[in-house]
């Protein structure tokens, strides 16, 4: 093999690595060990881990929702777990049907007509949505909420700056946190390609004037992009029903475990407009039938925009999809159905409200900061203690508290972003409040 590669030694394989960076000592790798010995060693290492006493209360993008056993069973089947979208995709009819079902369920959930087979995550979906708006109306500015996720904002800028787009923030109402419509109206002009709204917002409150935001966008000729937590749509109005042109979001809550932060699942859907469909990023799976109509089949209907197909002419940076995560999402939504999803939302809202009320009973704590309806995330403001110090005290008690917001939004003071889902029992919330109270007193 070395002869075919044109090298004379293994060291030549690493000739590009600077000499000073090469490890020259003898590697101290234990063993060899038998399988049983390895099992004992790994078990001993794992026993050094410690577990939190309850699900994390960490807000900000990845959430602890219950994943039914049937979802894991379905995605664990060999025909799904080991398959990848092949370059002759029609040979994988099972996976294509699963993705088609996922697309159909997402369309029903968000109230739009066309959904792609999934993107990497919410952030990449936002970047793709902004560039899609730019391609459609040839405008160069996107207006975003000032209180949006800073991480999504960073990804959005990474996507849009290379094509000359500008990202401008829109102010918020200091009492409610809602988008300031007066500031939005001032900033809208003929150069705005799209107005982006997160609903529920990054800080957990629900944008009650979302329809008005959409009307402002459309009156100026801009597109209206809405980012969602799909779980919330069991209770909240579908974005397509209040004028959204493009809906994006994070599908991790739909039957995907937290997995230390990923993989995630980018949702992307748009209206049934031929121009929009031609510009939608990622691939579309379609259903068809044989010429005599006797058999149904599934096909890769559209993927010509992808960079592995069009190369320098590609309009999208996407060249694959999150097939297994999308399958989990489809299985999850099918199991819950509209009624189950609504019941889940009611439980989440009820427990989040209970947590906010209990935290407000603590001297020196306030939850939430903004006087709006919150779904499952909410801000907690501390009056007399640094939030990082309190967070450390909670960790010492085996409780993962909220995400500190001091660096992201210093004007909110000592604040953190908490999350409560159906996974948090009353006992879990009471434990958090008790530990929080001790941390504030200590």
């Amino acid at each position: 093999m070395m002869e075919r590669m044109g090298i004379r030694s293994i060291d030549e394989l690493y000739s590009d690595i600077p000499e000073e960076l090469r490890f020259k000592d003898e590697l101290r790798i234990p063993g060899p060990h038998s399988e049983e010995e390895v099992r004992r060693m790994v078990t001993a290492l794992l026993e050094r881990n410690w577990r939190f006493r309850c699900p994390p209360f960490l807000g900000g993008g990845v959430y602890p929702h219950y994943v039914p056993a049937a979802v894991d069973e379905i995605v664990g089947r060999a025909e799904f777990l080991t398959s990848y979208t092949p370059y002759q995709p029609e040979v994988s009819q099972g996976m294509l049907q699963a993705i088609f079902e996922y697309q159909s369920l997402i369309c029903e959930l968000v109230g739009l007509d066309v959904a792609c087979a999934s993107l990497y995550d919410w952030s990449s979906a936002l970047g793709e949505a902004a560039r899609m708006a730019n391609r459609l109306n040839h405008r160069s500015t996107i207006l975003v909420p000032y209180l949006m996720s800073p991480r999504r904002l960073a990804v959005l800028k990474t996507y849009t700056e290379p094509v000359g787009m500008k990202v401008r923030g829109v102010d918020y109402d200091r009492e409610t946190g809602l988008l300031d419509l007066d500031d939005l109206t001032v900033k809208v002009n003929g150069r705005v390609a799209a107005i982006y709204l997160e609903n529920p917002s990054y800080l957990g409150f629900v944008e009650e004037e979302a329809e008005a935001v959409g009307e402002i966008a459309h009156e100026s000729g801009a597109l209206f992009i809405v980012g969602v937590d799909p779980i919330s749509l069991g209770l909240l109005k579908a974005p397509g029903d209040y004028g959204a042109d493009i809906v994006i979001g994070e599908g991790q809550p739909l039957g995907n475990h937290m997995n230390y932060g990923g993989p995630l699942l980018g949702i992307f859907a748009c209206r049934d407009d031929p121009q929009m469909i031609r510009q939608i990023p990622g691939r579309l799976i379609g259903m068809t039938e044989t010429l005599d109509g006797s058999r149904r089949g599934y096909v890769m209907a559209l993927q010509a925009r992808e960079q592995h197909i069009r190369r320098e002419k590609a309009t999208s940076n996407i060249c694959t999809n999150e097939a297994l995560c999308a399958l989990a999402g489809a299985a999850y939504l099918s199991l819950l159905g509209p009624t189950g999803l609504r019941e889940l939302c009611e439980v989440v809202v009820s427990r989040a409200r209970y947590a906010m009320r209990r935290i407000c009973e603590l001297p020196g704590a306030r939850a939430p900061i903004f006087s709006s309806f919150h779904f499952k995330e909410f801000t907690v403001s501390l009056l007399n203690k640094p939030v990082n110090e309190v967070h450390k005290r909670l960790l010492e008690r085996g409780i993962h508290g909220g995400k500190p917001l001091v660096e992201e939004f210093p004007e909110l003071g000592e604040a953190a972003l908490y999350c409560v889902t159906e996974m948090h029992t009353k006992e879990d919330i009471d434990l958090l409040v008790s530990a929080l109270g001790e941390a504030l007193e200590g």
Side-chain angles (χ1 to χ4, degrees):
M1 181 177 287
M2 289 194 293
E3 183 179 340
R4 293 291 300 272
M5 295 173 67
I7 61 175
R8 289 170 294 181
S9 70
I10 295 296
D11 289 341
E12 286 191 44
L13 282 175
Y14 308 106
S15 60
D16 291 334
I17 301 175
E19 189 68 28
E20 63 273 18
L21 298 180
R22 298 187 193 184
F23 183 74
K24 298 183 176 62
D25 295 335
E26 184 176 349
L27 284 176
R28 289 180 293 178
I29 300 175
H33 297 292
S34 68
E35 181 177 323
E36 171 59 14
E37 289 170 332
V38 171
R39 190 188 67 81
R40 286 176 180 273
M41 292 172 64
V42 172
T43 300
L45 282 174
L46 292 175
E47 286 176 348
R48 291 165 58 184
N49 291 334
W50 55 280
R51 300 181 58 187
F52 289 116
R53 298 167 67 183
C54 55
F57 291 94
L58 184 69
V62 179
Y63 311 105
H65 282 287
Y66 182 74
V67 178
V71 173
D72 287 336
E73 181 66 21
I74 291 170
V75 299
R77 289 182 62 88
E79 61 267 39
F80 291 129
L81 187 63
T82 61
S83 67
Y84 181 76
T85 307
Y87 286 88
Q88 187 187 356
E90 284 70 30
V91 300
S92 297
Q93 284 294 300
M95 180 55 85
L96 289 186
Q97 180 177 353
I99 295 175
F100 180 82
E101 301 290 354
Y102 161 80
Q103 294 174 171
S104 303
L105 288 161
I106 291 299
C107 286
E108 185 175 350
L109 191 63
V110 304
L112 287 179
D113 311 295
V114 182
C116 78
S118 72
L119 303 180
Y120 303 139
D121 55 17
W122 186 340
S123 298
S124 59
L126 172 57
E128 293 287 347
R131 291 183 61 145
M132 177 173 161
N134 171 255
R135 293 193 299 272
L136 286 167
N137 57 27
H138 307 292
R139 297 180 177 187
S140 59
T141 300
I142 179 169
L143 299 180
V144 303
Y146 173 78
L147 292 178
M148 72 174 289
S149 162
R151 293 177 184 274
R152 287 194 282 273
L153 177 61
V155 174
L156 173 64
K157 290 180 177 178
T158 301
Y159 265 79
T160 53
E161 285 178 356
V163 291
M165 292 188 72
K166 295 180 180 177
V167 180
R168 295 189 68 190
V170 179
D171 207 354
Y172 63 97
D173 185 290
R174 296 297 185 273
E175 178 67 25
T176 63
L178 304 181
L179 203 68
D180 184 335
L181 296 188
D182 291 335
D183 188 48
L184 176 64
T185 303
V186 168
K187 290 177 176 172
V188 166
N189 55 47
R191 296 185 299 276
V192 173
I195 297 175
Y196 170 61
L197 191 69
E198 296 185 339
N199 200 19
S201 73
Y202 173 62
L203 299 183
F205 55 82
V206 174
E207 288 282 356
E208 298 174 6
E209 298 178 306
E211 189 165 350
V213 175
E215 290 173 357
I216 293 173
H218 294 149
E219 287 171 2
S220 69
L223 295 182
F224 183 30
I225 304 171
V226 179
V228 298
D229 171 353
I231 291 288
S232 71
L233 298 179
L235 192 63
L236 304 182
K237 194 173 182 180
D241 294 343
Y242 55 78
D245 300 295
I246 300 174
V247 175
I248 59 174
E250 178 51 61
Q252 175 271 326
L254 303 177
N256 288 280
H257 295 275
M258 296 179 76
N259 295 331
Y260 300 99
L264 301 176
L265 171 63
I267 292 171
F268 197 108
C270 70
R271 289 189 283 106
D272 182 17
D273 179 318
Q275 289 186 320
M276 297 188 80
I277 295 172
R278 289 297 303 179
Q279 292 295 336
I280 191 171
R283 52 195 58 170
L284 297 180
I285 307 304
M287 184 172 68
T288 185
E289 59 184 20
T290 54
L291 290 175
D292 62 4
S294 63
R295 298 185 65 185
R296 177 187 298 172
Y298 299 88
V299 297
M300 188 86 80
L302 202 60
Q303 64 164 344
R305 305 155 307 281
E306 296 185 0
Q307 50 102 336
H308 78 282
I309 301 294
R310 295 290 299 276
R311 296 184 180 272
E312 72 277 5
K313 295 181 180 178
T315 56
S316 165
N317 189 47
I318 301 299
C319 62
T320 186
N321 66 292
E322 301 285 287
L324 202 63
C325 296
L327 173 63
Y332 182 86
L333 288 171
S334 300
L335 287 166
L336 264 66
T339 302
L341 196 58
R342 181 175 181 82
E343 291 174 353
L344 171 61
C345 285
E346 291 171 349
V347 171
V348 169
V349 170
S350 172
R351 295 187 183 183
R353 291 176 69 87
Y354 175 72
M356 286 185 278
R357 180 170 61 80
R358 287 296 321 278
I359 291 173
C360 275
E361 293 171 359
L362 297 172
R366 176 189 170 195
I369 293 176
F370 298 110
S371 59
S372 292
F373 175 76
H374 287 64
F375 179 55
K376 70 183 179 190
E377 290 176 287
F378 54 88
T379 44
V380 174
S381 174
L382 305 181
L383 304 181
N384 305 314
K385 284 280 187 180
V387 66
N388 286 319
E389 179 182 326
V390 170
H391 188 66
K392 183 179 178 183
R393 295 286 300 275
L394 291 176
L395 290 174
E396 291 172 351
R397 292 285 306 273
I399 299 169
H400 202 308
K403 179 184 182 185
L405 296 170
V406 178
E407 293 186 4
E408 294 182 347
F409 301 106
E411 63 272 30
L412 299 181
E414 296 294 332
L417 181 59
Y418 279 68
C419 164
V420 170
T421 73
E422 78 283 5
M423 296 291 285
H424 297 99
T425 64
K426 178 178 179 298
E427 289 72 24
D428 294 334
I429 297 170
D430 290 342
L431 178 64
L432 166 69
V433 174
S434 173
L436 198 54
E438 292 179 13
L440 290 173
E441 292 175 0

